[in-house]
Amino acid sequence: MGKKTYDDHDLEYIKRVLAEPQDITGNKMVAEFEEKFAERIGSKYAVAVCNGMCGLHTLLAAAGVGPAVEVIVDPIVQFGALAVLYNNGVPIFADVDPATHNMDPASFAARITPDTKAAVITHLWGLPAEVAQIRAEADKHGVIVVEDCAHAILAEHKDKKVGAWGHAGMFSFQASKHLSTGDGGMLTLSDEGLLQEVRSLMNWGAAPDRMAYNFRMPGIVAAVGLAQLERIDDYVQQDVDNAQLYHQAIEGCDWLVPQALPSYSTHSQHIFTLAFHGEKQGIDYEEFRRVSREEGAGLGFGYTQRTWKEAQIVAAYQFPTFSVPVAYGKGCPSRCPHYAKQLPYRDGYCPNAEDLMPRLCLRGLSSGTRDDIARGADGLRHAIERVS
């Protein structure tokens, strides 16, 4: 049995939606979910959406992203960059800190230009990025900060939860996440003007007065979300506890380096992550992968690939969607007439990310039982012993 619990408590919330046929959209339940989620995160406002990606799409649209507008994004995950393309903007990738895997504030500052309108900052694997420093720099230039909190619900940076640091945040409730409704998401916002823009963009009807999107969350999904929100502390704590099993498995191994955790942050441990540096001690990477599979370590290797057929692990900007680009055909949006600059994407554009990507060894912790995790940790320990 998996660790997430769905039972009669969830059904009671669903029945509340179905008991009001005059409001089958479930707007009352959605509003209640938004209010309680905002309170839990510590944000002023929250807006429920049908999934996390449409949430990023909407937030960047509300921020004014469009043709020839640049948005700074992370190079390890492509989701922020895709949301920029959805709005016909131009993704500009900042490099990462190789220890934390999150965006390097110095690289962020260096990538800002007069064309920069917004930034999407990912709290990767569940570890908060240096969002306080990034927000302070962004404010100097009028750049809107959107936090991608898909991995990091309840994680804290300097005693404030992620999703409450930026102008806005996005949380995902996709099936593998800590809080799962099958699919769905929540936006957190601190600015009333941005809130009104988001509401306007989601004001879907027979004749909307502007370009709008049918990204609303159904009431039944919100009902499950409310029930699961009451359990979220336990879910996150289970992942934190499970991560300790993997930390124990690598004790004494200096060529598998876990993601650094600053003393002023907490980690939701959605994904336990290691960086392989065995080549420095004569340990072959491919042998380690093979032995890890044989021992049932439960690790994935690398995070994204150039294509499904070509198993080359690369940074997001090296994907054809961005580098060719092929998103809309004819070179749009980054080679449209409105954008006169030369695309900066090239090998070595974010050297830390390019070096880190093929080294990543990952174990998702938000599904499976404690016994599953324990077996995987034991498998990793045995694999290390075999190749060392």
Side-chain angles (χ1 to χ4, degrees), residues 272-284:
F272 178 79
T273 311
L274 299 166
F276 176 89
H277 291 278
E279 78 283 359
K280 297 176 182 178
Q281 299 185 26
I283 297 170
D284 182 74

Side-chain angles (χ1 to χ4, degrees), residues 104-115:
D104 179 359
S107 183
F108 168 80
R111 297 293 202 244
I112 295 174
T113 77
D115 296 317

Side-chain angles (χ1 to χ4, degrees), residues 7 24 39 163 173 182 226 269 279 285 300 312 326 330-331 339 344 359 370 373 377 379:
D7 56 21
I24 193 63
E39 180 181 355
F173 305 146
L226 267 170
Q269 296 292 351
E279 78 283 359
Y285 178 66
Q312 184 175 1
V326 296
K330 300 183 180 179
Y339 190 65
R359 299 182 183 279
R370 176 77 170 179
I373 303 298

Side-chain angles (χ1 to χ4, degrees), residues 267-315:
H267 200 310
S268 69
Q269 296 292 351
H270 176 57
I271 300 176
F272 178 79
T273 311
L274 299 166
F276 176 89
H277 291 278
E279 78 283 359
K280 297 176 182 178
Q281 299 185 26
I283 297 170
D284 182 74
Y285 178 66
E286 290 303 323
E287 181 186 5
F288 175 63
R289 288 183 60 177
R290 177 182 61 79
V291 172
S292 293
R293 286 193 297 268
E294 292 175 357
E295 294 291 346
L299 296 177
F301 294 87
Y303 189 63
T304 52
Q305 296 178 185
R306 189 185 299 275
T307 68
W308 291 113
K309 294 181 180 179
E310 183 183 353
Q312 184 175 1
I313 300 166
V314 296

Side-chain angles (χ1 to χ4, degrees), residues 57-358:
H57 181 170
T58 304
L59 287 174
L60 293 182
V65 175
V69 170
E70 295 178 350
V71 180
I72 299 175
V73 297
D74 294 89
I76 290 182
V77 291
Q78 70 271 32
F79 308 112
L82 287 173
V84 178
L85 294 189
Y86 293 159
N87 288 287
N88 291 304
V90 181
I92 300 296
F93 297 83
D95 207 355
V96 301
D97 180 328
T100 66
H101 309 180
N102 281 323
M103 189 180 291
D104 179 359
S107 183
F108 168 80
R111 297 293 202 244
I112 295 174
T113 77
D115 296 317
T116 307
K117 176 78 74 171
V120 180
I121 312 300
T122 306
H123 303 300
L124 200 58
W125 322 130
L127 174 69
E130 295 294 331
V131 68
Q133 187 176 349
I134 288 171
R135 174 66 193 265
E137 184 66 27
D139 286 348
K140 296 177 186 177
H141 303 274
V143 173
I144 293 175
V145 173
V146 174
E147 299 176 69
D148 182 345
C149 310
H151 292 174
I153 191 169
L154 300 190
E156 294 186 358
H157 176 71
K158 298 184 177 179
D159 299 321
K160 183 190 291 188
K161 288 183 175 58
V162 299
W165 275 101
H167 297 84
M170 180 281 293
F171 293 81
S172 171
F173 305 146
Q174 180 265 347
S176 70
K177 300 300 189 294
H178 286 109
L179 192 161
S180 174
T181 59
D183 215 332
M186 188 72 76
L187 311 181
T188 52
L189 302 108
S190 61
D191 181 81
E192 186 173 359
L194 195 60
L195 171 71
Q196 295 307 320
E197 282 293 301
V198 166
R199 293 289 192 197
S200 176
L201 286 163
M202 293 176 58
N203 185 23
W204 184 262
D209 58 5
R210 62 182 295 184
M211 177 73 79
Y213 309 99
N214 190 7
F215 288 164
R216 296 171 300 193
M217 174 181 284
I220 290 176
V221 175
V224 177
L226 267 170
Q228 292 299 300
L229 184 60
E230 296 172 6
R231 299 175 170 130
I232 188 60
D233 294 87
D234 288 341
Y235 292 159
V236 172
Q237 188 59 52
Q238 287 176 43
D239 281 0
V240 171
D241 293 342
N242 285 339
Q244 289 306 308
L245 296 176
Y246 272 87
H247 279 290
Q248 292 165 12
I250 63 169
E251 287 181 358
C253 176
D254 58 1
W255 49 269
L256 288 176
V257 181
Q259 186 182 24
L261 175 58
S263 61
Y264 46 78
S265 292
T266 66
H267 200 310
S268 69
Q269 296 292 351
H270 176 57
I271 300 176
F272 178 79
T273 311
L274 299 166
F276 176 89
H277 291 278
E279 78 283 359
K280 297 176 182 178
Q281 299 185 26
I283 297 170
D284 182 74
Y285 178 66
E286 290 303 323
E287 181 186 5
F288 175 63
R289 288 183 60 177
R290 177 182 61 79
V291 172
S292 293
R293 286 193 297 268
E294 292 175 357
E295 294 291 346
L299 296 177
F301 294 87
Y303 189 63
T304 52
Q305 296 178 185
R306 189 185 299 275
T307 68
W308 291 113
K309 294 181 180 179
E310 183 183 353
Q312 184 175 1
I313 300 166
V314 296
Y317 53 83
Q318 295 169 306
F319 276 57
T321 303
F322 308 105
S323 62
V324 175
V326 296
Y328 294 103
K330 300 183 180 179
C332 293
S334 52
R335 291 183 179 144
C336 76
H338 298 286
Y339 190 65
K341 296 181 182 180
Q342 182 72 28
L343 270 178
Y345 312 154
R346 62 188 183 281
D347 290 348
Y349 177 43
C350 294
N352 292 338
E354 290 179 28
D355 179 71
L356 180 62
M357 290 289 292

